[in-house]
Amino acid sequence: MTPSVAHAGGGNQAEVGAPQAKGGRQDQNLSVETKIQTAVESSPRSARTGTLTPAAGNWDPPACWYEPAYSPKQIQAAVKAIRQMKVFGVGDFVGGAFDAYFKEGHPYKNYNLGKQGEGQFWAAAVNEKRKDDPEANSCDKLPFWVPEGETPKEPLAVSPKILAEYAYDELPVPGTEIAMAPEGATKVNLPTWAWLDKAKFKKISVTASIPGSGLSATATAVPASLSIDPGTADAETYPASGECPIQHGRIGSPRAKGTPADTPPPCGVRYLRSSGDGSYDLRATLTWNISWTSTNGEGGDLPPGEFGGNRHVTAEEIQSINR
């Protein structure tokens, strides 16, 4: 079932007409475009940013949840709008089902109009980034009533934890563009130094909140380590694990002038065979540790995230001159 989309205003705002609701013969739900707002509290100095991929393969940010959506007057207006859809009798078919639920006592009477201002109907919202995820169909309940100030027992009801997980998906991490020495082609059997611009790789925070609800949570990403994959088995990494940790606020180190060419770097790679007429596809992946806090005191850790980039590296044989 594909949820319909209805635009709902805040429950405590003045009633300004009905939400624009849509329904169909196969659609027995009323969902909303999320009202979650996000704010980046610290941002990397990078024109190119991306989204983290959770390092834990069995975890993803939420695909859907329930959030405050409709006042009684708005739900009444939404059903009325659906009834006005006259194509193939869709409006009467779907509107009748909604009236049975919201108006005729199964389970609500007269759209809860007598409780206007005392709560809201909570409805399903889908994470736009994960709308094609099968889990996006998990929020298949019709809107349900939640009195003002109460927390619904529904496991998928929006919470500080869900907001933190949503914020995780919005963290604008900088592109993992490593600097290397030598800058051009590297030489077989000589180390290539690699490092990251420490000015770009600082902690990043995103706060997600629903206006008027008092719900808010902040996810913070802190760079942890750089993983280097040389793109060939004919190579060695520095350190041998391929994981370059943060040391003294930076990952790796530029090669100072005058450093002997065979000096092992704190972070880098040594190619053992020429790339011939092509190049090796080196991949650098930065791991970020993620934590979260909220206004109600909840918090903790979320799975680390990864974001990487590729770089073409040409490895040439050292040319020798025989006299």
Side-chain angles (χ1 to χ4, degrees):
M1 176 178 68
T2 303
S4 62
V5 175
H7 302 275
N12 295 324
Q13 297 175 354
E15 302 296 331
V16 189
Q20 298 300 309
K22 299 179 182 179
R25 186 173 296 275
Q26 302 300 323
D27 185 1
Q28 299 298 312
N29 197 3
L30 276 174
S31 62
V32 293
E33 289 186 350
T34 184
K35 292 185 290 186
I36 295 176
Q37 297 180 355
T38 58
V40 180
E41 298 182 3
S42 54
S43 181
R45 299 176 184 174
S46 176
R48 300 173 61 184
T49 59
T51 302
L52 289 171
T53 297
N58 59 348
W59 185 88
D60 284 307
C64 71
W65 53 86
Y66 298 97
E67 65 179 64
Y70 294 98
S71 70
K73 288 183 179 180
Q74 287 173 330
I75 207 74
Q76 179 190 40
V79 175
K80 180 179 179 180
I82 289 172
R83 278 198 173 278
Q84 293 174 352
M85 299 171 59
K86 300 302 182 182
V87 180
F88 303 117
V90 167
D92 288 336
F93 179 84
V94 178
F98 287 155
D99 271 343
Y101 182 82
F102 293 110
K103 181 181 179 182
E104 298 167 6
H106 306 289
Y108 303 107
K109 291 184 179 181
N110 198 29
Y111 311 104
N112 267 11
L113 289 173
K115 297 182 179 181
Q116 180 74 19
E118 299 177 11
Q120 292 188 71
F121 286 97
W122 286 41
V126 173
N127 186 340
E128 189 64 23
K129 291 184 178 181
R130 311 189 65 78
K131 61 184 179 181
D132 296 326
D133 191 318
E135 291 298 316
N137 295 319
S138 299
C139 302
D140 57 0
K141 295 181 179 179
L142 281 168
F144 52 89
W145 181 254
V146 179
E148 194 71 31
E150 292 190 12
T151 301
K153 296 181 180 179
E154 164 59 47
L156 291 176
V158 70
S159 64
K161 178 73 176 294
I162 286 179
L163 288 174
E165 294 172 342
Y166 182 88
Y168 182 117
D169 219 15
E170 298 293 316
L171 286 162
V173 294
T176 311
E177 300 171 1
I178 60 173
M180 301 181 71
E183 293 183 2
T186 188
K187 302 299 182 182
V188 171
N189 288 322
L190 288 180
T192 297
W193 291 50
W195 66 94
L196 288 172
D197 180 355
K198 66 178 182 178
K200 293 181 180 179
F201 295 89
K202 298 181 178 180
K203 73 176 183 178
I204 307 161
S205 295
V206 169
T207 296
S209 60
I210 297 182
S213 71
L215 294 173
S216 176
T218 300
T220 299
V222 178
S225 63
L226 178 72
S227 174
I228 292 182
D229 180 349
T232 175
D234 294 316
E236 295 177 349
T237 58
Y238 301 91
S241 65
E243 297 285 335
C244 302
I246 290 183
Q247 294 181 329
H248 308 297
R250 67 163 66 244
I251 297 179
S253 176
R255 188 176 69 185
K257 290 184 178 180
T259 301
D262 59 353
T263 302
C267 181
V269 62
R270 182 168 72 100
Y271 287 100
L272 307 178
R273 182 175 296 182
S274 167
S275 58
D277 294 331
S279 61
Y280 294 122
D281 196 17
L282 181 147
R283 181 163 184 81
T285 302
L286 190 64
T287 297
W288 299 75
N289 289 333
I290 316 296
S291 61
W292 69 281
T293 58
S294 65
T295 50
N296 69 354
E298 293 183 59
D301 293 327
L302 293 173
E306 298 176 336
F307 186 65
N310 292 354
R311 176 166 177 163
H312 299 299
V313 179
T314 301
E316 300 175 342
E317 295 284 357
I318 298 175
Q319 301 298 317
S320 61
I321 299 176
N322 296 321
R323 297 184 182 276

